[in-house]
Amino acid sequence: MRPTIVLLSPPEDHKRIVARLRQAGIYEEGAILDRLGRGECGFGVDASGDVLDEFGEGELGEIRRRIGEFQPILLEYSGVSCIRDLLGELIQGVSGLLDTNFGELIEYEEVLARFRRDPLWDWRPTATG
């Protein structure tokens, strides 16, 4: 499996992100993961909510404390430069948290601020972007 991130958003913002995903490139529904193609970049997309089975009760409680009720979107990506570009479009003007899968839950606004400060920012510990 390729690297993944999880977008955690309140229900209304979740709907906006799903709509943006479907318009962000060539979007095809799949049996397990939907596929999104954008030029040289390919993504797996799962908005079913199944990824929440991988979260502990403590994590879920922290997320609810920070943003209230929410829905997840799992994004599988091939390269950090690809996901960086996609995130810039998806999370602009909406609220929620990015779960980097490296121990951080970062508010969308902060993710965009980090991209502005460092366009090559990489949340992975071995930043090979």
Side-chain angles (χ1 to χ4, degrees):
M1 187 167 169
R2 298 184 304 172
T4 60
I5 58 169
V6 181
L7 301 178
L8 306 157
S9 309
E12 286 304 311
D13 288 334
H14 172 84
K15 289 177 190 172
R16 287 186 190 102
I17 293 171
V18 168
R20 290 174 183 178
L21 273 166
R22 290 181 173 276
Q23 297 173 2
I26 300 169
Y27 195 94
E28 299 172 349
E29 293 188 11
I32 297 173
L33 287 179
D34 292 351
R35 305 305 289 163
L36 171 63
R38 286 170 52 101
E40 298 294 315
C41 299
F43 305 91
V45 180
D46 180 6
S48 71
D50 289 349
V51 71
L52 292 182
D53 293 342
E54 299 175 23
F55 284 72
E57 283 305 313
E59 289 175 295
L60 294 172
E62 178 185 351
I63 295 163
R64 285 188 184 100
R65 180 184 58 74
R66 290 175 67 180
I67 63 173
E69 286 306 308
F70 67 94
Q71 294 176 301
I73 300 171
L74 172 78
L75 291 174
E76 177 188 76
Y77 59 97
S78 54
V80 87
S81 61
C82 289
I83 194 68
R84 229 187 259 123
D85 291 342
L86 181 61
L87 281 175
E89 293 178 30
L90 295 180
I91 65 175
Q92 187 70 46
V94 294
S95 63
L97 299 170
L98 166 68
D99 179 348
T100 66
N101 281 330
F102 288 97
E104 282 190 282
L105 289 171
I106 309 168
E107 291 184 25
Y108 293 164
E109 197 172 291
E110 176 58 23
V111 170
L112 295 172
R114 288 187 191 184
F115 287 154
R116 284 190 297 275
R117 287 192 307 268
D118 179 6
L120 299 179
W121 172 60
D122 188 338
W123 49 86
R124 302 169 305 157
T126 57
T128 56

